[in-house]
Amino acid sequence: MEYPTNDRNKVKRLPKRGHYDQETIFGILDDAFLCHVGFEIAGQPYVIPTAYGRDGEVLYLHGSSKSRMIQHLATGAPLCLTVTHLDGLVLARSAFHHSMNYRSAVIFGTATLVEGEEKMHALEVISEQILKGRWAEVRQPNPTEMKATSVLRITIEQASAKIRTGPPGDEAEDYALPIWAGVVPAELTFQDPLPDPAMDQAHELPASVKALARK
Amino acid sequence: MEYPTNDRNKVKRLPKRGHYDQETIFGILDDAFLCHVGFEIAGQPYVIPTAYGRDGEVLYLHGSSKSRMIQHLATGAPLCLTVTHLDGLVLARSAFHHSMNYRSAVIFGTATLVEGEEKMHALEVISEQILKGRWAEVRQPNPTEMKATSVLRITIEQASAKIRTGPPGDEAEDYALPIWAGVVPAELTFQDPLPDPAMDQAHELPASVKALARK
């Protein structure tokens, strides 16, 4: 399925890097759990980093019930949710052709508050997006905690992905310059887990964390 | 120097995590080179990932002269520029107290187009922010390339940082649960450089890339 394009989500600069199919966009979303959500209040844009989870065609956000972002988005205000993976520095022979390898997804839509069974489900989806398997290992939210938390369901109206891969592209005459060119790959990596000093016993490292460390 | 606070930049949720001094905010900016810029056109928010550079109290962005973001921000429209470092997953005993360790900076301001000598300087600042030392190693921009590129100078009106560090904080009664808790540190890492297959000779790896690999 492709998202319909118009002026809002069409990739105009370097259109060959643009993608509108769900498979590509969902792939970018599924490789991350941190997004930047944009919204506007009285003409002022705000961009806030937050966790998310994808469940089919729906995205979930959560936050304090008192959060300005949550309260504002719950009114159905238009939002933009962007996820970016930096995959590498692209080092060309000319300053001009320096670039980055990246995969980004830009989502347009609106949100509604989620209650009841779907709310607990959404929290599990977000938790599983951050660390698969963790949800089942921990104490589940109690009614007080559920009340302190709000969950938003985002319906994706339109979306686009923009992807750059591969080596630098220089001007033809610059390839003869005696300058090293190439790509320095980059990725988010996880280091050895640090046990909470407050743990009163040496509990075994859980499967969720072991699986993360293997990546 | 502290940025003045009001409803726009005051950290309301978990206010102890909020910081408004330039040293803290600039430190977060200086540890990154990729930001998410938010702006609004006709009520629709947009969030776009892009590179930036800091020079004293000024931030620079660059892009194609034809870029919608550049053209829109050049009108002096309000913007929000956010930089986020994910420093770790915070794994608590309860689902509710799961969190992340992070450092984020949220910048509010407006932009103006930069021309002349400052434009070349700004491009060097952005380049050096991405990879220190690279600018002097490569072919400098020619007039055609300068014309194709626009540079914005952002004057920071207000800013805030939000920082979480340390182990999870659980409810008192949950510390007795037989659940592993702790932090999994995370960071953006760079891997071994991949030389451009189009390099016609084996040029030595430049100092800029060697320094990056040592990190």
Side-chain angles (χ1 to χ4, degrees), chain A residues 7-8 12-13 33-34 36-40 43-49 51 64 66-68 78-80 82 84 86 89 91-98 100 104 106 108 130-131 134-135 137-141 145 148-149 167-168 171 174-200 203-206 209 212, chain B residues 7-8 12-13 33-34 36-40 43-49 51 64 66-68 78-80 82 84 86 89 91-98 100 104 106 108 130-131 134-135 137-141 145 148-149 167-168 171 174-200 203-206 209 212:
Chain A
D7 201 47
R8 181 166 70 161
K12 283 168 276 283
R13 290 300 309 154
F33 51 82
L34 193 68
H36 283 80
V37 175
F39 55 96
E40 176 256 321
Q44 174 64 55
Y46 295 85
V47 177
I48 304 294
S64 161
K66 294 174 181 168
S67 148
R68 171 174 62 182
L79 67 87
C80 180
T82 298
T84 306
L86 175 68
L89 303 181
L91 307 179
R93 293 148 187 89
S94 57
F96 182 75
H97 283 294
H98 275 65
M100 297 182 200
S104 64
V106 177
F108 297 102
I130 299 171
L131 183 56
R134 185 63 177 165
W135 183 258
E137 295 168 351
V138 299
R139 178 178 65 71
Q140 303 297 301
E145 292 167 343
T149 306
E171 299 297 322
D174 286 340
Y175 281 87
L177 292 172
I179 297 173
W180 188 93
V183 170
V184 184
E187 67 175 335
L188 182 72
T189 55
F190 294 96
Q191 279 75 54
D192 289 341
L194 306 172
D196 183 355
M199 253 194 303
D200 57 357
H203 299 301
E204 200 194 344
L205 203 64
V209 179
L212 188 67
Chain B
D7 201 46
R8 181 165 71 162
K12 283 168 278 282
R13 289 302 306 153
F33 52 82
L34 193 67
H36 283 80
V37 175
F39 55 96
E40 175 257 321
Q44 175 64 55
Y46 295 86
V47 178
I48 304 295
S64 162
K66 295 175 181 167
S67 147
R68 170 174 64 183
L79 66 84
C80 180
T82 299
T84 306
L86 176 68
L89 303 181
L91 308 178
R93 294 148 186 90
S94 57
F96 182 76
H97 283 294
H98 276 65
M100 297 184 201
S104 64
V106 177
F108 298 101
I130 298 171
L131 182 56
R134 185 63 176 164
W135 184 258
E137 296 168 350
V138 300
R139 178 176 68 68
Q140 303 297 301
E145 292 168 344
T149 306
E171 300 297 322
D174 286 340
Y175 281 87
L177 292 172
I179 297 173
W180 187 94
V183 170
V184 185
E187 67 175 335
L188 183 72
T189 56
F190 294 98
Q191 279 75 55
D192 290 341
L194 305 172
D196 183 355
M199 255 196 301
D200 57 359
H203 299 301
E204 201 195 341
L205 202 64
V209 179
L212 189 67

Side-chain angles (χ1 to χ4, degrees), chain A residues 4-68:
Chain A
T5 59
N6 63 13
D7 201 47
R8 181 166 70 161
N9 70 323
K10 187 86 182 168
V11 174
K12 283 168 276 283
R13 290 300 309 154
L14 306 169
K16 282 183 187 171
R17 295 185 187 171
H19 303 264
Y20 306 94
D21 60 291
Q22 279 190 336
E23 188 181 350
T24 300
I25 292 163
F26 288 176
I28 291 168
L29 293 174
D30 292 353
D31 274 358
F33 51 82
L34 193 68
C35 65
H36 283 80
V37 175
F39 55 96
E40 176 256 321
I41 300 177
Q44 174 64 55
Y46 295 85
V47 177
I48 304 294
T50 191
Y52 68 93
R54 183 178 78 83
D55 184 24
E57 307 205 349
V58 161
L59 298 180
Y60 290 115
L61 303 181
H62 72 326
S64 161
S65 302
K66 294 174 181 168
S67 148
R68 171 174 62 182

